Amino acid sequence: MENGIKIQAITKHFGTKTALDNVSCIIPKGKIVGLLGPNGAGKSTFIRCLLGIATPDTGSIWYDGMPYSKAIQKRMGYLPEERGLYRKMKVLEQLQFFGTIKGLSPTQAKRQSMEWLERFNYQALADQWLERLSKGQQQVVQFIASVVHHPEWLVLDEPFSGFDPANADIVSKEIIRLHKEQGTTILYSTHRMETVEGLCEELIFIHQSKLVYQGLPQDIRQTYAKGYVYLKMESALPPTLQAHVSMTLGAGAYQLSGVRVADVIGHLPKESKVTEIKEMIPSMQEVFLTIVGAA
């Protein structure tokens, strides 16, 4: 695979601690990929290796078939979980600075900074000192700093941390726009499982320094399904299914275990009045808890 980022058997130690253990995966070009895992799993080290901040002890990382370089660095954007802006600089000056270190000319950096500020209706803040902005406004400026140069690859580490719901919604839409309109490849690291399925096309799950899963969100939910069937009916439950009831969910509604949908249908008499029947697929939060051993 030449297009995208290919991670080949990377291992990283910090003293006696193994932060990453023989991790191999692919971040496909033009996809939004979720990076999941509990605290201490190795996600931050994975990101640092990807950005060239840390170097794997063994293994390699390839970007469109090329090794990491200064040219690759300029094609990447990074929104860290721990925000790092300069509080004593004005907003526009700060954004211009970040744009120029990513390869933009001063004129380009100013123009693109203003375009981004206008997207958030923040143009009036261009000459404001950063320290005078609210925390939410500072978070938006940090996001703009990570994308002002229109990166090909964008790494977002807990991007919605500190945002109020309104700004979180705007930033989410901008992430999707970057992906759809510019084809930006996005690695999205998060603990917010409720955002994963609506945003991510693929998932990478790291636990205890190892890769435990890469694939589609719907596939991982199917993989960790626990064999439950939801059945709601207006007629009586057949005796042959009563032994499979693990939970009664209301009048005529049941959670059945140890059977598949086809099995349940086979036990239902022709005169049965079924309102709904479906396999109960776990949420991403339930999958997360199952993988980390908390379920």
Side-chain angles (χ1 to χ4, degrees):
M1 172 185 170
E2 292 296 316
N3 294 327
I5 303 176
K6 185 175 183 179
I7 296 93
Q8 294 181 300
I10 62 172
T11 295
K12 181 66 178 177
H13 299 282
F14 294 101
T16 58
K17 176 178 172 56
T18 301
L20 293 173
D21 186 2
N22 196 38
V23 172
S24 296
C25 58
I26 292 173
I27 301 173
K29 192 86 168 181
K31 298 286 188 181
I32 300 180
V33 179
L35 177 63
L36 309 180
N39 290 331
K43 301 192 304 301
S44 295
T45 302
F46 181 89
I47 288 173
R48 289 171 65 83
C49 289
L50 202 67
L51 295 168
I53 299 171
T55 303
D57 298 329
T58 58
S60 59
I61 304 177
W62 299 89
Y63 309 78
D64 288 347
M66 297 178 289
Y68 185 82
S69 65
K70 288 292 184 182
I72 295 295
Q73 183 186 51
K74 290 180 179 179
R75 294 163 62 187
M76 304 186 81
Y78 175 42
L79 178 64
E81 182 177 10
E82 297 296 329
R83 313 306 199 218
L85 296 175
Y86 299 100
R87 297 179 59 81
K88 298 296 183 179
M89 286 181 72
K90 291 183 178 181
V91 170
L92 182 57
E93 292 174 350
Q94 186 142 205
L95 294 176
Q96 285 182 270
F97 168 73
F98 281 107
T100 55
I101 64 174
K102 286 295 187 177
L104 299 180
S105 70
T107 301
Q108 288 175 316
K110 183 176 182 179
R111 184 183 69 250
Q112 292 178 201
S113 296
M114 286 305 301
E115 288 173 356
W116 273 104
L117 288 170
E118 288 168 8
R119 283 190 172 276
F120 287 91
N121 199 26
Y122 273 24
Q123 58 268 39
L125 301 180
D127 291 325
Q128 291 287 326
W129 300 100
L130 186 81
E131 64 183 356
R132 295 180 181 176
L133 304 187
S134 69
K135 183 179 179 181
Q137 290 171 330
Q138 291 181 29
Q139 301 286 56
V140 170
V141 173
Q142 177 84 68
F143 173 76
I144 294 173
S146 71
V147 297
V148 67
H149 59 299
H150 300 304
E152 291 181 39
W153 294 301
L154 177 60
V155 179
L156 303 172
D157 193 356
E158 295 292 348
F160 302 112
S161 175
F163 282 129
D164 60 46
N167 277 334
D169 183 62
I170 294 172
V171 169
S172 179
K173 289 177 180 176
E174 287 300 326
I175 292 170
I176 294 171
R177 186 188 65 81
L178 282 169
H179 170 239
K180 289 185 176 180
E181 295 183 10
Q182 299 183 27
T184 307
T185 304
I186 298 171
L187 182 68
Y188 168 45
S189 177
T190 185
H191 293 99
R192 292 181 56 180
M193 295 298 106
E194 73 276 9
T195 66
V196 168
E197 288 177 274
L199 197 60
C200 300
E201 298 165 286
E202 287 203 21
L203 300 176
I204 293 171
F205 207 117
I206 296 177
H207 183 43
Q208 295 179 342
S209 307
K210 297 178 181 291
L211 179 82
V212 295
Y213 179 84
Q214 177 170 12
L216 303 177
Q218 58 267 35
D219 288 349
I220 191 172
R221 291 178 65 200
Q222 289 282 357
T223 298
Y224 286 90
K226 297 180 180 180
Y228 294 132
V229 172
Y230 174 80
L231 174 65
K232 186 173 183 180
M233 53 194 306
E234 296 178 358
S235 53
L237 186 71
T240 52
L241 289 176
Q242 289 177 358
H244 293 281
V245 175
S246 58
M247 189 180 301
T248 300
L249 303 174
Y254 309 95
Q255 174 181 289
L256 307 177
S257 63
V259 286
R260 298 173 300 172
V261 169
D263 299 325
V264 175
I265 293 173
H267 283 280
L268 295 172
K270 291 183 179 180
E271 63 273 15
S272 297
K273 296 180 180 179
V274 176
T275 304
E276 187 176 1
I277 182 171
K278 63 181 180 181
E279 185 178 2
M280 297 179 71
I281 305 299
S283 66
M284 282 306 307
Q285 179 69 17
E286 291 171 319
V287 169
F288 183 92
L289 293 175
T290 298
I291 291 177
V292 302

